[in-house]
Amino acid sequence: MTSPENGKAEHAITMRDVAKAAGVSVATVSVVLNNKPGARIGDDARRRVQEVVAELGYRPNVLAKTLANGTSRFIGLVADAIATTPFAGQIIHGAQDEAWKNGYVLLVANTDGNKAAEDEAIAMMLEHQVHGILYSTWYHREISVPPSLHKTTTVLVDCFASGSGLPAVVPDETQGGRTATEGLLAAGHRRIAFINTTTPSPAQSGRLAGYRSALEDAGIAYDDSLVFPALPEQEGGYASTASILESKATAVFCHNDRVAMGLYDGLREHGLRIPEDIAVMGFDNQDVIAAHLRPPLSTVALPHYELGAAGVRMLLGIDSSSNTVATLVACPPVQRQSV
């Protein structure tokens, strides 16, 4: 950098500069800065070093220290497209908060699904001798693990890899589907339709299983004719409107909030009011949608923040983990005015 007074470049303060200013050896500075137990350093020399460090604004080279002793206060997070999704940064935010709480810094690499970029990001983190790596995807799915992840402690977040031996933390899709359906049952509905996605995924099968479980617990027989496959987007919900009306359902559980938004449009075109004529429950708690529909949408949240935080706790050994079964994180209900 340059000095504003003379425009000349200023060099970074080194341990040698501190030693010279304090009138001690570089070894003495190192001992004081690292607070090595049992070191024979006089109080006067220790005080001079500490004063010079404060005066010169010396900052230790953390990376050099990491490479020298093989330890690190860094945790890596490699994500495919998570920073550009509607839930932008929630997993990163949760992981970062938990890392800071435990004295670690999060290094984040967003690869946009590019394998070369992913390999390079993982290699860079290994070179920096990170404490471990969180590997995350933007939606819950099974993955093929990049081989280099086996070179360090790794936790999969919002994804899993059967038989890989790597611990994983994922949303409890079945519990979420059950919670959504129970919200409609608690409002007095008995004929509840479910608009499910056409895309095979843990969300597709898990939320359906939860829907069925809640109905069965309430003594209501599962009726396959009340389950409607649709594209998992606004157009899918809108296109399902006619079938929903024909089914005589009094309430609808939608696979996600975008589907619910499309259903809102279709029901409004038919002059129906929500929730007076028909109740609607979403899933995801996509805030830019759910909280701003009219009426605001009751939904079930995907626990992205907690997934990130739980991943760090698992990586650090604070929470227990399994190498064979994914750890499930509950999807909480968000009550608004559509039920």
Side-chain angles (χ1 to χ4, degrees):
M1 63 183 175
T2 59
S3 167
E5 289 81 10
N6 55 30
K8 294 181 180 179
E10 297 178 350
H11 75 279
I13 302 300
T14 67
M15 198 179 296
R16 188 176 299 279
D17 295 325
V18 174
K20 182 178 180 181
V24 298
S25 68
V26 172
T28 296
V29 174
S30 176
V31 168
V32 173
L33 292 177
N34 290 291
N35 198 26
K36 293 181 179 178
R40 292 187 172 183
I41 301 296
D43 291 341
D44 183 60
R46 188 180 298 274
R47 177 185 53 77
R48 291 202 311 274
V49 168
Q50 292 169 340
E51 288 177 352
V52 170
V53 165
E55 181 183 343
L56 298 182
Y58 172 72
R59 295 291 182 270
N61 187 327
V62 177
L63 179 56
K65 183 178 178 181
T66 291
L67 296 176
N69 61 23
T71 62
S72 169
R73 305 303 290 181
F74 297 129
I75 292 173
L77 188 151
V78 177
D80 57 0
I82 201 167
T84 55
T85 67
F87 306 101
Q90 289 186 33
I91 287 180
I92 294 173
H93 190 189
Q96 181 172 274
D97 283 355
E98 195 66 32
W100 273 113
K101 187 188 303 182
N102 290 282
Y104 288 82
V105 175
L106 194 70
L107 301 179
V108 180
N110 188 64
T111 67
D112 288 323
N114 182 298
K115 187 179 184 307
E118 178 178 272
D119 291 342
E120 186 174 341
I122 295 172
M124 177 272 292
M125 290 179 179
L126 293 176
E127 287 174 5
H128 282 68
Q129 298 187 17
V130 293
H131 185 84
I133 293 177
L134 303 181
Y135 183 87
S136 183
T137 55
W138 75 272
Y139 70 94
H140 181 191
R141 61 187 174 92
E142 184 163 16
I143 63 161
S144 296
V145 178
S148 54
L149 287 180
H150 290 287
K151 296 179 180 179
T152 187
T153 303
T154 297
V155 174
L156 306 179
V157 177
D158 206 22
C159 57
F160 63 99
S162 301
S164 68
L166 294 181
V169 55
V170 299
D172 190 339
E173 304 283 5
T174 300
Q175 168 270 318
R178 184 169 56 248
T179 296
T181 309
E182 287 173 345
L184 297 170
L185 289 166
H189 296 282
R190 305 285 292 177
R191 190 165 179 81
I192 301 171
F194 177 34
I195 303 177
N196 201 5
T197 179
T198 55
T199 306
S201 65
Q204 181 197 50
S205 57
R207 294 173 197 180
L208 176 61
Y211 165 79
R212 295 188 64 159
S213 173
L215 293 178
E216 290 166 5
D217 287 348
I220 300 172
Y222 170 74
D223 184 350
D224 190 59
S225 70
L226 287 175
V227 177
F228 303 96
L231 295 175
E233 53 199 37
Q234 185 174 1
E235 289 75 9
Y238 180 82
S240 300
T241 306
S243 299
I244 293 294
L245 297 180
E246 289 174 8
S247 75
K248 305 299 182 184
T250 64
V252 186
F253 166 30
C254 297
H255 175 78
N256 63 29
D257 295 345
R258 288 173 293 154
V259 169
M261 179 168 58
L263 181 62
Y264 264 53
D265 293 339
L267 294 175
R268 188 175 296 111
E269 285 186 2
H270 283 81
L272 297 178
R273 299 167 301 161
I274 302 169
E276 292 84 358
D277 298 316
I278 188 166
V280 179
M281 176 72 70
F283 203 108
D284 287 353
N285 193 34
Q286 192 169 325
D287 189 60
V288 294
I289 295 175
H292 301 288
L293 290 174
R294 292 293 177 267
L297 177 67
S298 292
T299 187
V300 171
L302 279 171
H304 287 102
Y305 180 95
E306 180 56 26
L307 288 173
V312 169
R313 291 195 300 270
M314 196 174 293
L315 190 73
L316 297 178
I318 298 170
D319 288 355
S320 60
S321 62
S322 168
N323 292 336
T324 56
V325 180
T327 297
L328 302 178
V329 175
C331 302
V334 181
Q335 300 294 339
R336 295 194 179 96
Q337 286 78 54
S338 64
V339 174

